[in-house]
Amino acid sequence: RIIRKINFDFSRFFGRISIKRLKYFPIYFVGLILLFGFIYLSIPKFYNYENLSIENEICNDYKVKCSSIGKINYNIFPYPRITFRNVIIYDLFDNTKSFGKIEKVELKLILRNLLNKKQFLFSKIELQKANININLKKIKKYKNFFSELTISKPVYIKKGKINFLNGEKNITSVENINYKYYPDEKTDDVILKGNFLGDNIYINFKNNKNLLKIFLLKIQDLN
């Protein structure tokens, strides 16, 4: 009798389910997934980033001192990212001078770690309209500094500019820079495109961890 009772209850339950309603189940299921996904992506929007000092944490990872005078924002589209503006990077060896100014910095966040506001993980860093000053008198110091620096995430620079200085004197510049740095376990790959002395310049540098280095330089008008 218990089995008959259970079978009767199930038959009543399924008898009330309309086949027409069942065909909309995939739509409801996908809608719920999208809703919960949107909620998950939106939670970091309510964090107080001003108290987290994210820019200082990032700068410490790259062993430089910097400051941001713009607001820090979190955006969902086209991908979850943290943005802060008007970043000043101080000279690597003299904190009273500027090594570079960046109009906008974007950190592309890793989805699985969005709710951990104490330690944001990002997959790449993008610098937009970065103005970088390289003093040729300190070129050996720069070399030693970057040879000891470990960069584990890709770095992109869009519409940047590199100024080459001799002390306080401006010598030349590479403008409209698009720069990509891809670190890997075996190889570091650098691609730089820009305008130099009225010509288009292309540089590709591959640094193999097995001591093989390939440097490719192309200047368009010189073929």
Side-chain angles (χ1 to χ4, degrees):
R1 284 188 296 178
I2 294 175
I3 293 174
R4 285 200 301 268
K5 175 65 174 175
I6 293 175
N7 287 337
F8 177 73
D9 289 341
F10 269 99
S11 65
R12 290 179 61 187
F13 173 74
F14 285 107
R16 294 176 180 176
I17 298 178
S18 171
I19 299 299
K20 292 182 179 181
R21 294 180 180 177
L22 279 177
K23 70 179 182 180
Y24 294 110
F25 177 77
I27 298 176
Y28 298 147
F29 182 72
V30 172
L32 283 174
I33 292 178
L34 293 176
L35 177 61
F36 287 123
F38 179 76
I39 293 174
Y40 176 78
L41 296 175
S42 299
I43 290 176
K45 192 79 173 177
F46 302 98
Y47 294 159
N48 186 357
Y49 294 100
E50 302 300 330
N51 297 330
L52 296 180
S53 300
I54 297 175
E55 71 272 27
N56 288 331
E57 293 183 15
I58 301 301
C59 292
N60 289 336
D61 288 342
Y62 293 100
K63 298 181 181 180
V64 296
K65 182 180 179 182
C66 63
S67 64
S68 173
I69 58 176
K71 290 185 177 181
I72 302 176
N73 297 313
Y74 170 80
N75 298 290
I76 299 177
F77 301 105
Y79 52 80
R81 66 194 188 279
I82 291 178
T83 302
F84 40 98
R85 299 177 179 273
N86 300 325
V87 177
I88 299 175
I89 301 176
Y90 296 98
D91 188 89
L92 304 179
F93 315 105
D94 185 357
N95 291 336
T96 63
K97 296 182 179 180
S98 170
F99 178 75
K101 296 180 180 179
I102 308 169
E103 185 173 305
K104 184 179 180 181
V105 178
E106 285 191 356
L107 305 178
K108 185 177 180 180
L109 301 178
I110 297 177
L111 292 179
R112 69 174 184 272
N113 201 62
L114 282 182
L115 302 186
N116 185 2
K117 65 179 182 179
K118 293 183 179 180
Q119 185 181 14
F120 283 99
L121 299 180
F122 61 95
S123 57
K124 78 173 185 179
I125 182 170
E126 183 176 299
L127 314 178
Q128 297 184 14
K129 296 184 178 180
N131 196 336
I132 302 170
N133 300 314
I134 296 180
N135 194 331
L136 297 177
K137 290 185 176 181
K138 301 178 181 179
I139 200 71
K140 290 184 178 180
K141 292 183 178 181
Y142 293 142
K143 179 181 178 181
N144 294 332
F145 175 85
F146 287 108
S147 64
E148 298 176 358
L149 184 64
T150 301
I151 301 177
S152 59
K153 306 295 183 183
V155 179
Y156 289 32
I157 299 178
K158 292 185 176 181
K159 298 180 180 180
K161 181 179 180 181
I162 298 178
N163 303 305
F164 294 97
L165 309 175
N166 186 12
E168 300 294 331
K169 186 179 180 181
N170 191 347
I171 303 299
T172 188
S173 301
V174 182
E175 299 180 345
N176 197 27
I177 284 178
N178 281 298
Y179 168 93
K180 297 179 181 179
Y181 171 73
Y182 303 95
D184 190 80
E185 294 182 357
K186 297 182 179 180
T187 306
D188 294 327
D189 193 359
V190 176
I191 296 176
L192 185 148
K193 300 177 183 179
N195 303 122
F196 179 62
L197 299 178
D199 203 346
N200 294 326
I201 188 172
Y202 173 88
I203 296 175
N204 183 205
F205 175 63
K206 292 185 178 181
N207 178 26
N208 193 293
K209 303 300 173 63
N210 296 324
L211 302 181
L212 176 64
K213 303 180 187 295
I214 301 174
F215 184 85
L216 175 64
L217 170 64
K218 293 183 179 181
I219 299 179
Q220 180 174 304
D221 289 347
L222 295 180
N223 196 23

